[in-house]
Amino acid sequence: EMVRIQAVTDELTGLFNLRHFHDTLDGEIERSRRFGTDVGLMLLDIDDFKRVNDTYGHQQGDLVLIEVGRVLRTLSRDIDEPARYGGEEMAVVLPQTDVAGAELLAERMRAAVAGIDIDRLDGGGRLQVTASFGVASLPSNARDKDSLIAEADAALYRAKRAGKNQVGRAEPVIAES
């Protein structure tokens, strides 16, 4: 059991790893198609993370990742699957959640991340970080897994370009005529 858990868990944050994220998203998309339910996706990126590493060191950056991961685990529902997507990017698969529900949860998580005070390892006080989020759902914003990820990612980068520390929402899929 321990080996199975280690195989699907990011060692640093305790979140699920990228492989488990993709397996979970595949399963939830299949379930959503079978039962006619939505599946939401949230992507987030810690704002100015490179500056944290460059200014305070990689151990401080690791502590930031751990604390943001803790927020995701704490605020996720039992059926949600928070994962480390890579680097300072994280994701949450949101079963039975439309884009409006994903946006509400992302906003709660965004506010919680902005509210954490992280002790600086150099003893120089506390560090605050923010994160930008992008949300999308299937079938409202995408037709398949790849387009769902792409739409959430595009919404995330719109949030970054708009000033960071905010939630971007994917555009609705245009119906084919």
Side-chain angles (χ1 to χ4, degrees):
E1 178 65 11
M2 184 182 294
V3 170
R4 188 190 67 74
I5 290 168
Q6 288 174 336
V8 298
T9 304
D10 175 67
E11 192 175 332
L12 179 66
T13 63
L15 300 175
F16 289 111
N17 64 21
L18 184 61
R19 179 179 341 136
H20 183 80
F21 163 80
H22 281 292
D23 290 346
T24 298
L25 189 55
D26 288 336
E28 289 304 329
I29 288 172
E30 180 60 36
R31 185 188 333 270
S32 86
R33 289 196 170 125
R34 195 171 335 127
F35 296 110
T37 59
D38 292 292
V39 59
L41 177 62
M42 175 191 312
L43 293 179
L44 66 127
D45 186 85
I46 300 170
D47 297 325
D48 304 312
F49 185 74
K50 183 179 180 336
R51 189 173 47 87
V52 170
N53 276 339
D54 291 350
T55 304
Y56 303 106
H58 290 277
Q59 287 180 315
Q60 185 71 63
D62 287 352
L63 189 55
V64 168
L65 291 169
I66 290 165
E67 288 300 312
V68 172
R70 185 185 54 72
V71 167
L72 296 189
R73 277 194 315 280
T74 300
L75 294 181
S76 291
R77 304 167 299 175
D78 289 343
I79 62 171
D80 298 337
E81 297 275 347
R84 184 160 178 205
Y85 197 74
E88 70 273 16
E89 279 196 317
M90 299 179 190
V92 185
V93 178
L94 303 165
Q96 303 167 28
T97 306
D98 63 12
V99 71
E103 187 175 28
L104 285 171
L105 180 57
E107 180 54 37
R108 283 205 320 270
M109 289 181 175
R110 184 209 59 74
V113 168
I116 9 181
D117 279 332
I118 301 167
D119 287 326
R120 283 188 21 199
L121 295 175
D122 64 6
R126 307 195 48 85
L127 182 66
Q128 290 188 297
V129 295
T130 60
S132 297
F133 290 73
V135 296
S137 72
L138 193 130
S140 300
N141 309 110
R143 300 192 192 297
D144 56 28
K145 176 183 168 183
D146 290 340
S147 63
L148 180 62
I149 293 170
E151 289 300 322
D153 198 47
L156 164 63
Y157 281 94
R158 279 195 301 278
K160 286 233 179 246
R161 284 192 304 273
K164 302 179 183 169
N165 191 28
Q166 53 191 286
V167 177
R169 182 174 174 163
E171 300 296 323
V173 170
I174 307 295
E176 295 173 0
S177 43

